[in-house]
Amino acid sequence: SSGTNSITARVTPLNKSIKNIHSIHSFMQKDIASIRRDYQMASLDEAASAASPMDQFTHWWEDATTSNIDEVNAFVLSTVDANRAPASRVVLLKGYTPEGFIFFTNYDSDKGKEVAANPNVAMNFFWKELERQVRITGTIKKISAEESAEYFHSRPLGSQVGAWSSPQSQVIPNREFLEKSFAENTEKYKEGIVPLPSHWGGYIVHPTQVEFWQGRSSRLHDRIRYSFENHQWTKVRLAP
């Protein structure tokens, strides 16, 4: 009898703990579900939008860069590897032209290997301060070494040295490995120009579709999508 009571005593606190965990989980889920915002800042109309997506992007980019947005040039880059597994990460836009969007990275990184296997990518800018998204799909290719070198040598010295010091996306034993490599390269290049690594440079994403998303009240958002078909851009409105 005393043994049974002992088991019961041990089980009861455990049951209470399980109930508490479920209660906390339920509360957290309800709290997340209650987070919402009604968008009312602006609208987007087909007639008022530019004929080409790059011109429309320029209009929105000018709005974004004058709206005190932190890391305004940050966007999510999504890639697909040779096994069709998707991956996303935040990178920084470093320029754009009528032909596409430019960023720089380590060519030996995971994203570098993924775009080598599959050049189809997606980009997403989210400017919450303006209640706007820009969604881009297209194909990617490397820019010239000369263009990469010009940008590389405009970077802070520490960033140039860092490009030589970090085997991006590879497993390393510890933080000290990275710091030692950086220190060695800092000493190596302290009196000369840091050369452009062959494994580092720029990409340009040539868009084939660009969607401009403007948040609206009651989730009735404005969505204007441009598609490049038959050597010209066309645009349509999408339901939110």
Side-chain angles (χ1 to χ4, degrees):
S1 175
S2 61
T4 303
N5 290 338
S6 177
I7 293 171
T8 303
R10 289 197 298 270
V11 170
T12 300
L14 178 60
N15 289 338
K16 287 182 178 178
S17 296
I18 292 172
K19 288 179 180 179
N20 287 339
I21 291 171
H22 287 316
S23 177
I24 291 169
H25 178 73
S26 177
F27 171 77
M28 289 177 65
Q29 291 300 316
K30 288 179 180 177
D31 191 50
I32 292 171
S34 69
I35 299 172
R36 60 177 52 85
R37 174 177 171 179
D38 195 38
Y39 300 121
Q40 300 182 355
M41 287 185 65
S43 62
L44 179 63
D45 185 75
E46 298 95 314
S49 59
S52 81
M54 301 311 288
D55 288 340
Q56 183 62 34
F57 183 83
T58 295
H59 296 328
W60 275 23
W61 177 255
E62 290 172 351
D63 289 344
T65 53
T66 56
S67 297
N68 196 33
I69 296 174
D70 192 32
E71 296 272 45
V72 66
N73 58 331
F75 68 92
V76 175
L77 175 73
S78 298
T79 54
V80 178
D81 67 15
N83 296 317
R84 299 183 179 179
S88 296
R89 76 288 291 160
V90 176
V91 298
L92 300 177
L93 182 73
K94 289 301 178 179
Y96 69 94
T97 72
E99 285 72 44
F101 302 89
I102 299 167
F103 70 95
F104 295 84
T105 191
N106 186 315
Y107 290 144
D108 292 336
S109 64
D110 282 349
K111 59 182 168 295
K113 294 173 183 176
E114 288 157 6
V115 300
N118 187 335
N120 297 295
V121 300
M123 301 168 56
N124 192 320
F125 291 89
F126 177 49
W127 296 317
K128 63 182 178 59
E129 295 84 353
L130 297 175
E131 301 174 351
R132 288 174 173 174
Q133 293 185 74
V134 183
R135 303 175 61 210
I136 301 156
T137 56
T139 57
I140 191 171
K141 72 173 185 178
K142 293 178 180 178
I143 64 175
S144 71
E146 292 76 19
E147 292 171 308
S148 292
E150 181 180 359
Y151 171 72
F152 182 78
H153 291 122
S154 74
R155 306 175 85 208
L157 180 61
S159 297
Q160 295 182 46
V161 173
W164 281 101
S165 306
S166 174
Q168 192 175 126
S169 301
Q170 296 182 30
V171 175
I172 59 175
N174 47 47
R175 174 75 188 186
E176 288 70 26
F177 171 90
L178 197 62
E179 293 175 346
K180 180 182 178 181
S181 177
F182 184 80
E184 290 172 349
N185 282 310
T186 298
E187 177 66 21
K188 179 178 181 179
Y189 297 117
K190 68 179 181 179
E191 295 183 1
I193 296 175
V194 182
L196 172 71
S198 61
H199 61 263
W200 194 97
Y203 287 104
I204 184 168
V205 176
H206 297 290
T208 53
Q209 281 194 343
V210 184
E211 179 188 326
F212 295 88
W213 181 100
Q214 177 66 62
R216 298 294 302 274
S217 184
S218 301
R219 296 297 186 261
L220 298 179
H221 312 305
D222 289 327
R223 299 175 61 189
I224 305 299
R225 186 182 67 194
Y226 294 76
S227 299
F228 194 69
E229 301 170 343
N230 299 320
H231 307 290
Q232 64 180 356
W233 286 103
T234 59
K235 60 180 174 178
V236 295
R237 173 176 286 270
L238 301 178

